[in-house]
Amino acid sequence: MRIELTVNGERHEADVWAGESLLFALRERLGLPGSKNACEQGECGSCSVLLDGTLVCACLVLAAQADGHEVVTVEGLAPEDGPHPVQEAFVQAGAVQCGFCTPGLVVAAADLLARTPDPTDDELREALSGNLCRCTGYAKIFDAVRLAAGAS
Amino acid sequence: MSAPARKLERGRVGEAVRRADGIPKTTGEFAYASDLQAAGMLWGHTVRSPHAHARVGEIDISEAVTMPGVHAVLTHADVPGTKLYGLEYADQPVLAFDRVRYYGEPVALVAAEHPEQARRAAEKVRVEYEPLEPVVDMERALEQDELHPDRPTHEPDHYRDDPRANVVRSILIRHGDPDTEGDVVVTGEYELGIQDQAFLGPESGLAVPDGDGGVDIYVATQWLHVDRAQVAPCLDLPPEQVRIHLAGVGGAFGGREDLSMQIHGALLALHTNRPVKIVYTREESFVGHVHRHPARIRMEHRANRDGKLVCVHARVLLDGGAYASSSTAVVTNASSFACGPYAVANALVDATVVYTNNPPCGAMRGFGAVQVCFAHEAQMDKLAAALELDPVELRLRNALAPGDVMPNGQKVTGSLPVADVIRRCAELTVPEPEPLPRDSLRLPGGSGNVTRGEGVKRGVGFALGFKNLCYSHGFDDYCAARVRLFAGADGALAAEVHCAAAEVGQGVVGVITQVARTELELDDVTLAPGTTSTVDSAGSASASRMTWMVSGAVAEACRAARGELGARGGTLAPGEEIDVEKVYRHPQTWPLDPETGQVTGERAHVAFICSAMRAVVEVDTDLGLTRAVWIGTAQDVGRAVNPQAVLGQIEGGTAQGLGLALMEEIQTRDGLITNASFTDYLIPTTLDMPPVDAVLVEEPEPDAPYGAKGVGEPPTVVATAAVAAALRDATGRDLTRVPVRPDDLIGL
Ligand code: FES
Ligand code: FES
């Protein structure tokens, strides 16, 4: 089936199979592999995107459900003139190791700071609890989000 | 001495350097193996055994090949070269024939236009199975029918000739007089479940036929050249026709040492003459790679009243699962470290790893040291209690030090600041208990805990552990690096480094460029992509060896390039270049004597690294729920090449050890994995991880380039033991098995 959607401000059309997830369509059909495929079962948050402004797991949304909607992926987060403050903070704080969790965490953290510019530690831990990271033990991810909160 | 504050971002050894791959990893630009695409690409899918043990009869692909979009369906009959492969012993079929030995073993392959078409065709491959009784208990395996009757790992000339059934390898270490008695004796039996590496990037790769019968494989792996050494014979190709390139790796932790899709993707690509991509699902990833060995361990510690250990007996049994993988090295490591970083004059260590029909086990961060550390540290706490000594004091009285002889006969040389890490860790300030009532997010069990914390008890545990750096026991290990020095149009010098070291997240690309900048005294240094085609092997991203080995190789290549530059008058004309490749080897090691387990030369291991950890937990003793409150650790690092990256390794390694203590276990029923998803196999989340207060103890390793030690493993080795000790302190229970279950905490 044919779908039309806006991704990172651009109109896209794609022919998708009815069972395909939004994640698969983004990664394999629209040339946007930034959203990651760590579980494809809604358990890890590596595929986090904004669908009409709401944080969702792209692996749990059918591509067909995104027809006519607006999606922002990690590729669309940064302003023209350089990385998003959260992206910069992740590198500065040493929050990136293998980086497979990073796109999802960056999207989730940017979403958190947009809603709660100065989160408490508990708010921070709770907001990111759906994003698994196997490498960092999270400490530097918390540092990064605090750093980004301070910077903005 | 701890790490002094250092200036950021100058890019040389000892400085906190920003990762070059950092920004691309945050923007989604960095290409992981599963992100790759090629024109005309097909999707590969693996047909896997639903049985843990069965005879394989006819494989009927007639319906599958006619399914829409399908381009190929392959079985063992289509493997042109050797039908078996393996990391150390070739005992594993590329595709099963005669019998399958574990749940999820690859049996056939499908390539189709769309992954869903490949999956549907895979369902139509009809395999005739005759189920056999699975061998699932590591103890009973020693008396059951041989799963590998030809005993592929049996080398009676080099290793102990053990006649028991299904033994992959057994190591017996007799040191001093194992009959020596002590004033006090404590014994214990311990058990560890199967842990999974659970790296987030699923096994993936893209195989591209080159049109001349050869193939390029882009894959997430830990050791490009050893992959090639296994892949080429199975494809019946000379090594130069198999080029393996490092694609972005989403974590490894040992789980990518063995092959996953490499041969399968190449078979499909060569057969269809189209690029083929294979991406495992999470479920496949759980069944598709080796795990940490589950273990049963029995220990007896004898000590004198003054707290000095006089004799240790350890019996270690590991379940290696269906194929050998690196089991032989894991069990040898477990035997080396069974007595812990303590000076013990007399010991008897008997360590065995067996074949079963359980999931195959192999390398995982800590590599045999994790299992024995859990046991020896529980024993040290028991001994402290029996002697009415402070557990930290007991460890100090027995701390291993340079000059001491280990049970395998190796005299410790170089840097091993065991007493220092104990003291530095014990000095850390333990946070005060947080008053109750409090936000349920900070209660054991988190927001699921609806009590006011009436049942909460606090516990504090201490643990000490150590392990080896680099490959051991006579393995001829080396690392190559190549440096191209050239002048740009303006005459300014620049360098390009080639090294096949796998960047798996640990930051080795940073180490390589830091060393090159330091040695060349040049800022303009770039690192070429990792591949088998432009440089010799770098060895494996494992055994905490990469920092050491690449530092040695890159430094040698850089010094040679500088020497050549000097000979040419110190400058290069535009277009002129110097190109040198150097191979670095660490100090030699020797194997153990098969009968006594004593080292046959100066050293069995190249060097060692140690760590101490204190963990504070809270347990809701009514509900069996836990909360890790705080972790403090002092770790030996030799010298921190990049302090920020070192701390990242310590925090991440601690999380994995904590996971094994509290929640992580691959569960099986008759050999079948029953929890192959992140819904059922839990790893620590942001809500599970406490703050980690880490002190870096810097005592440079004399044999290591820059004195730097690989730092990733010790935190995982000690964390499981430290958290378990804290849980024991909180509950007063023995807790002899990890992961500790809620039932164990409340004594159900
Ligand atoms: S890939 Fe979507 S939640 Fe894991
Ligand atoms: S950095 Fe590897 S999973 Fe988070």
Side-chain angles (χ1 to χ4, degrees):
Chain A
M1 61 185 290
R2 196 151 190 81
I3 60 164
E4 248 190 72
L5 68 172
T6 306
V7 186
N8 302 331
E10 268 180 49
R11 303 284 298 159
H12 286 273
E13 289 183 18
D15 268 320
V16 303
W17 167 68
E20 265 173 42
S21 67
L22 173 60
L23 179 65
F24 185 87
L26 290 169
R27 291 174 49 78
E28 301 294 340
R29 302 203 181 272
L30 302 180
L32 294 167
S35 310
K36 292 291 170 261
N37 58 323
C39 76
E40 300 187 75
Q41 291 179 317
E43 291 290 349
C44 74
S46 75
C47 61
S48 302
V49 299
L50 298 172
L51 179 64
D52 295 334
T54 303
L55 187 70
V56 297
C57 292
C59 69
L60 293 184
V61 177
L62 285 175
Q65 287 173 286
D67 187 27
H69 293 269
E70 201 165 315
V71 178
V72 176
T73 73
V74 70
E75 289 99 335
L77 221 50
E80 289 282 294
D81 57 344
H84 185 281
V86 170
Q87 292 169 328
E88 175 60 30
F90 263 65
V91 181
Q92 190 69 29
V96 180
Q97 288 189 29
C98 88
F100 209 79
C101 66
T102 309
L105 271 156
V106 163
V107 172
D111 177 62
L112 167 69
L113 295 182
R115 288 180 291 109
T116 314
D118 193 15
T120 63
D121 284 357
D122 284 351
E123 285 170 331
L124 180 51
R125 292 198 309 141
E126 193 155 34
L128 300 183
S129 63
N131 290 79
L132 297 178
C133 172
R134 190 52 160 169
C135 301
T136 65
Y138 305 105
K140 301 219 170 334
I141 291 171
F142 299 148
D143 291 349
V145 181
R146 286 186 207 111
L147 190 65
S152 53
Chain B
M1 164 183 89
S2 69
R6 292 189 170 105
K7 261 195 285 172
L8 272 166
E9 291 178 37
R10 289 256 318 289
R12 308 232 164 142
V13 170
E15 295 166 358
V17 187
R18 271 168 74 99
R19 294 183 70 109
D21 57 6
I23 285 292
K25 282 180 171 175
T26 64
T27 59
E29 221 179 296
F30 183 86
Y32 293 89
S34 53
D35 300 340
L36 304 177
Q37 287 191 343
M41 181 181 93
L42 301 174
W43 288 79
H45 189 80
T46 315
V47 180
R48 295 176 180 277
S49 165
H51 302 283
H53 194 198
R55 289 220 173 284
V56 177
E58 286 291 296
I59 304 175
D60 177 4
I61 62 166
S62 55
E63 189 183 353
V65 280
T66 63
M67 297 281 287
V70 170
H71 286 248
V73 181
L74 307 181
T75 69
H76 63 87
D78 301 297
V79 178
T82 49
K83 309 250 180 202
L84 298 173
Y85 74 96
L87 200 52
E88 293 176 15
Y89 297 92
D91 65 346
Q92 180 155 6
V94 174
L95 291 168
F97 54 92
D98 294 346
R99 62 166 146 172
V100 286
R101 294 181 182 83
Y102 74 97
Y103 170 72
E105 179 161 351
V107 179
L109 302 167
V110 180
E113 308 264 342
H114 190 282
E116 185 59 24
Q117 291 172 324
R119 273 193 289 273
R120 288 183 183 185
E123 282 169 17
K124 300 292 181 194
V125 174
R126 306 255 172 258
V127 185
E128 217 176 76
Y129 292 109
E130 181 200 323
L132 300 168
E133 192 200 339
V135 174
V136 293
D137 182 89
M138 56 179 114
E139 195 84 51
R140 283 191 57 214
L142 294 165
E143 287 149 16
Q144 288 174 289
D145 286 347
E146 296 268 12
L147 291 171
H148 294 267
D150 52 335
R151 313 203 92 189
T153 62
H154 201 59
E155 293 184 67
D157 291 346
H158 298 105
Y159 301 100
R160 187 176 168 211
D161 188 8
D162 191 329
R164 295 174 297 172
N166 289 309
V167 170
V168 180
R169 173 83 19 103
S170 70
I171 304 287
L172 187 69
I173 293 177
R174 290 185 146 275
H175 186 64
D177 176 8
D179 292 330
T180 310
E181 302 291 341
D183 301 334
V184 176
V185 180
V186 293
T187 60
E189 290 190 21
Y190 305 92
E191 199 174 311
L192 298 95
I194 311 177
Q195 189 179 22
D196 191 81
Q197 296 82 357
F199 41 70
L200 282 204
E203 288 85 345
S204 314
L206 178 69
V208 185
D210 67 7
D212 282 323
V215 64
D216 287 88
I217 305 170
Y218 301 82
V219 64
T221 181
Q222 291 181 235
W223 186 356
L224 293 161
H225 287 76
V226 89
D227 281 6
R228 185 179 64 175
Q230 294 170 86
V231 173
C234 298
L235 300 177
D236 199 21
L237 288 174
E240 52 293 354
Q241 277 192 282
V242 178
R243 290 161 300 271
I244 306 201
H245 313 280
L246 189 67
V249 184
F253 318 116
R256 296 188 208 269
E257 276 195 14
D258 292 80
L259 296 181
S260 58
M261 59 64 64
Q262 288 90 325
I263 305 175
H264 297 161
L267 283 171
L268 289 170
L270 290 167
H271 198 87
T272 59
N273 205 25
R274 299 263 292 262
V276 174
K277 168 163 157 173
I278 297 182
V279 178
Y280 285 7
T281 62
R282 179 52 50 184
E283 184 184 357
E284 261 189 302
S285 178
F286 273 111
V287 302
H289 61 245
V290 299
H291 312 278
R292 183 186 309 289
H293 291 75
R296 282 186 209 151
I297 301 172
R298 186 177 184 286
M299 287 191 179
E300 178 172 318
H301 281 59
R302 303 175 189 163
N304 281 341
R305 279 270 149 235
D306 62 1
K308 283 294 289 175
L309 279 174
V310 293
C311 186
V312 174
H313 287 194
R315 180 186 185 265
V316 180
L317 185 58
L318 303 176
D319 184 346
Y323 295 103
S325 179
S326 51
S327 278
T328 52
V330 171
V331 75
T332 315
N333 249 28
S335 72
S336 277
F337 306 117
C339 299
Y342 303 110
V344 192
N346 309 292
L348 182 66
V349 179
D350 174 359
T352 304
V353 59
V354 292
Y355 282 126
T356 66
N357 294 114
N358 287 323
C361 290
M364 184 175 170
R365 195 176 199 167
F367 205 79
V370 169
Q371 292 92 331
V372 292
C373 183
F374 170 63
H376 67 62
E377 287 309 273
Q379 285 288 100
M380 290 304 276
D381 282 347
K382 266 194 183 182
L383 192 57
L387 290 163
E388 294 174 359
L389 256 181
D390 174 65
V392 172
E393 176 57 30
L394 176 69
R395 286 169 172 87
L396 273 175
R397 286 190 194 172
N398 291 285
L400 190 68
D404 290 338
V405 176
M406 293 171 53
N408 67 2
Q410 175 170 358
K411 184 167 165 187
V412 177
T413 55
S415 131
L416 188 62
V418 176
D420 243 20
V421 299
I422 298 174
R423 279 195 207 98
R424 297 295 301 276
C425 181
E427 275 164 25
L428 290 169
T429 311
V430 176
E432 289 297 316
E434 189 187 350
L436 288 161
R438 62 173 98 121
D439 189 315
S440 64
L441 203 64
R442 296 193 307 284
L443 282 179
S447 49
N449 190 334
V450 293
T451 72
R452 291 163 54 82
E454 297 85 348
V456 172
K457 295 232 163 56
R458 179 176 152 112
V460 182
F462 192 89
L464 180 68
F466 81 140
K467 89 170 281 293
N468 55 319
L469 299 170
C470 304
Y471 282 11
S472 306
H473 301 114
F475 186 83
D476 179 26
D477 194 19
Y478 69 92
C479 177
R482 180 177 150 204
V483 173
R484 274 185 59 233
L485 204 55
F486 52 92
D490 56 354
L493 284 179
E496 181 186 62
V497 183
H498 293 257
C499 182
E503 170 60 57
V504 296
Q506 83 282 46
V508 70
V509 293
V511 175
I512 292 171
T513 45
Q514 279 177 281
V515 170
R517 290 197 177 103
T518 304
E519 292 297 333
L520 295 170
E521 294 180 19
L522 198 64
D523 285 335
D524 192 354
V525 173
T526 52
L527 179 61
T531 166
T532 55
S533 32
T534 63
V535 62
D536 196 355
S537 173
S540 180
S542 60
S544 293
R545 66 181 282 291
M546 223 22 144
T547 294
W548 180 315
M549 299 300 284
V550 298
S551 297
V554 173
E556 278 191 25
C558 289
R559 285 172 200 152
R562 274 186 59 142
E564 174 67 22
L565 181 68
R568 296 195 200 175
T571 53
L572 295 178
E576 197 185 349
E577 73 168 50
I578 290 168
D579 191 340
V580 287
E581 181 167 336
K582 286 281 169 194
V583 165
Y584 169 84
R585 282 185 160 74
H586 58 61
Q588 190 187 347
T589 61
W590 281 265
L592 304 181
D593 178 274
E595 298 311 317
T596 63
Q598 298 299 292
V599 66
T600 52
E602 183 210 337
R603 37 181 132 179
H605 299 288
V606 177
F608 305 95
I609 182 164
C610 61
S611 171
M613 188 173 284
R614 175 163 261 163
V616 178
V617 301
E618 287 178 345
V619 177
D620 187 319
T621 49
D622 297 330
L623 300 173
L625 300 172
T626 57
R627 171 184 177 228
V629 176
W630 176 86
I631 281 181
T633 181
Q635 182 172 314
D636 161 29
V637 300
R639 180 178 173 205
V641 175
N642 177 347
Q644 189 189 56
V646 168
L647 290 170
Q649 286 297 310
I650 292 175
E651 291 154 1
T654 300
Q656 292 184 3
L658 176 142
L660 176 56
L662 294 178
M663 63 190 85
E664 293 186 33
E665 181 173 9
I666 293 278
Q667 284 164 0
T668 59
R669 198 179 44 237
D670 295 331
L672 313 185
I673 296 184
T674 58
N675 63 338
S677 73
F678 281 142
T679 314
D680 299 312
Y681 183 95
L682 302 181
I683 65 173
T685 71
T686 54
L687 296 173
D688 299 308
M689 272 310 286
V692 176
D693 226 341
V695 180
L696 309 185
V697 177
E698 289 193 297
E699 184 189 293
E701 165 58 41
D703 285 329
Y706 311 104
K709 298 183 179 186
V711 296
E713 295 185 280
T716 306
V717 173
V718 283
T720 306
V723 172
L727 295 172
R728 284 185 203 109
D729 186 47
T731 60
R733 298 184 187 280
D734 280 347
L735 307 179
T736 55
R737 184 186 195 282
V738 284
V740 174
R741 292 166 288 211
D743 293 11
D744 306 330
L745 291 168
I746 50 181
L748 281 184

